[in-house]
Amino acid sequence: SALGVATKAASGDTHNLLTEDTAKTLCEWGKERLADTDVRVRQEAVRLIGAVASAHGPLALSMLLSFTLDQVLNGLERKSEKDGPVAAGMHDTEGWGNLETYVSCLKELCLVAGAHIQDAIQGGNTAAEDSLPLMSVLFSCLDHKNRFVREDSFLAIGSLSENCSVVLESRKEDCATALAKGLADNWSQVRYAAAVSAHSFLTNFGPASNWTVMLAPMCLNRYYVAEGVRLQAQRTWKDAVGEEGKTLVAQHAATFVDYYVAQSKSDNHAVREAACACISELGAKVEKSALEQHIGTLLDALWTSFHDLSWPVRDAACSACANFVKCFPDESKDKLEDLWPLWEEHLSDNIKSVREGASAAVAEVYRAYPDTVRERVEKYINDGVRAYIDQPSDSTRYSEMSSEPGPFGVIAAKKLRDNDPSI
């Protein structure tokens, strides 16, 4: 398309040769197409504006920043095709017109021309309050119902943190609170955007010890199931706290415990699984004196997760409970009678990895309480071996098949199985 050609020309090796008049023309061209009915055209228009802004940042900001902010504000309220309020019942991403496109354009401007935003907003003034309209718009979007809007807004915050941190200066605490909420978002893409922005924020507004509201969510995401989120959170944690991680967690143990326990009850099974892994890590790595008053609370949370409908959560809780018993044998002894039936039940689970985890957990419990559980372990093993020996072979199903080798044995078996009414 013509937009695509223009974008490549503006962003290629010759973008430094882009004249101011051509840049103005391209900005106007892209601006007009931000409201196109075809989403592909709108996306290409955003890329074109970003390419022009990378070469002529001040010009692009003067032409587009105020316009884009106005369009975002106008689009925050959901509208129908007839420009009336929309009733409840629509999907979270429906009914917002071109709001996502304008937020994406705002993100692009912050990303490629962020260093010039201070001058564009304040016109040379130094009062940080002059940047409040931009921040008000972004904060409205950070909590928006549409996940794509939230994602781009977090990325815009990260770009401002990296390229023009003075714009955020007056609302650093609000940014930290918003990032902590984004790190706990139910959508992985939003979590990832918040994690990227958190890294930029902590790099420019550190140290991490000043922003304790972000520590627990960031720490939990190191075990999140989505690989991008997990790796970014690990990188951010390493860069932000360095070798002081254990010390920070111990100093704010109550905050971490409360957050992990709350997340173990999340609607998202991946979050519950990560919370169990984090609770296990607390027992293994954090100084015991910092956790003594929280052991009962943590074991209760793990016991609840042990009954979860999701087997990965049960698997994580199974291992975490055993780890706590190993690290705190005296404090955990009162919970043994409640936990043992669960470990024993999971030894016979139909998921192989759950059985393996339960086996390793029972081994840890045996090391912690050899005299207490020896008889139970020996009885379970002996009963299991006897049951295996006495187990009858399954000779009734498909008994009409010959046991002799034959060229069509596999095909015949498949036909019998495909037509088996009991399956």
Side-chain angles (χ1 to χ4, degrees):
S1 67
L3 274 174
V5 173
T7 302
K8 290 180 180 178
S11 59
D13 295 334
T14 60
H15 78 281
N16 290 327
L17 303 177
L18 191 66
T19 64
E20 187 170 316
D21 289 339
T22 304
K24 286 182 180 179
T25 302
L26 292 177
C27 280
E28 288 293 346
W29 200 22
K31 179 180 176 180
E32 293 173 2
R33 281 151 184 80
L34 289 174
D36 196 273
T37 55
D38 191 327
V39 65
R40 295 169 297 180
V41 174
R42 299 199 301 269
Q43 290 172 346
E44 195 61 52
V46 170
R47 286 191 284 270
L48 173 61
I49 289 171
V52 174
S54 65
H56 293 274
L59 172 65
L61 289 171
S62 66
M63 294 182 64
L64 294 166
L65 183 58
S66 295
F67 166 78
T68 305
L69 290 174
D70 290 341
Q71 295 302 314
V72 172
L73 283 172
N74 292 335
L76 289 176
E77 183 181 351
R78 181 180 271 172
K79 300 289 185 179
S80 69
E81 293 182 357
K82 296 181 180 180
D83 295 328
V86 176
M90 297 183 71
H91 191 272
D92 290 351
T93 60
E94 291 181 305
W96 302 108
N98 299 329
L99 174 63
E100 181 189 337
T101 301
Y102 288 115
V103 174
S104 180
C105 182
L106 185 60
K107 175 204 70 175
E108 197 71 19
L109 290 172
C110 292
L111 177 63
V112 300
H116 305 288
I117 279 185
Q118 176 74 4
D119 292 332
I121 294 174
Q122 299 177 3
N125 297 327
T126 57
E129 288 75 10
D130 291 339
S131 64
L132 290 181
L134 169 63
M135 297 311 301
S136 296
V137 171
L138 283 177
F139 277 108
S140 297
C141 294
L142 289 176
D143 201 34
H144 198 268
K145 193 172 185 179
N146 187 325
R147 64 182 185 272
F148 299 113
V149 171
R150 297 198 302 274
E151 179 185 359
D152 281 341
S153 301
F154 276 115
L155 292 174
I157 289 289
S159 298
L160 289 175
S161 298
E162 187 170 347
N163 300 319
C164 192
S165 58
V166 68
V167 174
L168 304 181
E169 189 67 38
S170 63
R171 301 196 68 174
K172 290 185 295 186
E173 289 76 12
D174 293 334
C175 278
T177 302
L179 287 171
K181 188 174 181 180
L183 289 168
D185 198 278
N186 203 41
W187 288 93
S188 297
Q189 295 92 334
V190 180
R191 277 188 186 243
Y192 177 76
V196 171
S197 297
H199 186 278
S200 298
F201 181 88
L202 291 172
T203 299
N204 291 278
F205 295 107
S209 56
N210 292 342
W211 309 105
T212 55
V213 68
M214 297 169 58
L215 291 179
M218 185 165 55
C219 198
L220 182 140
N221 280 328
R222 295 176 305 123
Y223 290 94
Y224 194 69
V225 66
E227 184 178 26
V229 176
R230 184 172 66 253
L231 294 179
Q232 181 61 43
Q234 291 170 0
R235 177 192 170 208
T236 302
W237 181 264
K238 181 179 178 181
D239 292 347
V241 306
E243 300 297 327
E244 302 298 320
K246 294 180 183 179
T247 303
L248 278 175
V249 174
Q251 289 175 350
H252 305 282
T255 300
F256 279 81
V257 169
D258 291 344
Y259 185 78
Y260 290 164
V261 171
Q263 294 303 298
S264 71
K265 302 172 185 176
S266 169
D267 292 336
N268 188 330
H269 70 90
V271 176
R272 300 197 300 272
E273 181 184 355
C276 290
C278 287
I279 292 174
S280 178
E281 183 183 49
L282 281 180
K285 296 182 179 180
V286 177
E287 188 178 341
K288 293 184 178 180
S289 59
L291 295 177
E292 285 177 347
Q293 59 181 326
H294 305 293
I295 294 173
T297 301
L298 292 170
L299 280 174
D300 286 341
L302 290 175
W303 186 82
T304 300
S305 297
F306 221 149
H307 296 80
D308 202 279
L309 295 176
S310 172
W311 69 262
V313 179
R314 296 199 311 273
D315 193 14
C318 177
S319 301
C321 285
N323 186 61
F324 251 78
V325 166
K326 178 182 71 173
C327 298
F328 303 97
D330 296 333
E331 295 85 350
S332 305
K333 198 166 187 178
D334 293 341
K335 284 284 185 181
L336 181 61
E337 296 304 320
D338 293 331
L339 292 171
W340 182 262
L342 296 173
W343 280 315
E344 194 170 284
E345 177 184 347
H346 283 69
L347 286 170
S348 303
D349 195 271
N350 62 335
I351 304 294
K352 181 176 180 289
S353 61
V354 174
R355 298 196 299 271
E356 292 174 346
S359 300
V362 168
E364 294 291 355
V365 176
Y366 184 85
R367 294 188 185 97
Y369 311 115
D371 298 331
T372 304
V373 303
R374 178 180 290 111
E375 185 177 342
R376 303 182 192 186
V377 173
E378 291 177 350
K379 181 179 184 302
Y380 184 87
I381 293 174
N382 291 331
D383 290 347
V385 171
R386 278 195 294 269
Y388 170 74
I389 294 174
D390 298 338
Q391 178 179 334
S393 58
D394 187 3
S395 60
T396 57
R397 181 169 290 181
Y398 313 139
S399 58
E400 66 273 25
M401 286 186 61
S402 171
S403 60
E404 297 297 324
F408 306 110
V410 174
I411 297 175
K414 184 178 186 306
K415 286 182 177 179
L416 285 170
R417 186 183 186 284
D418 290 345
N419 293 282
D420 190 340
S422 66
I423 297 178

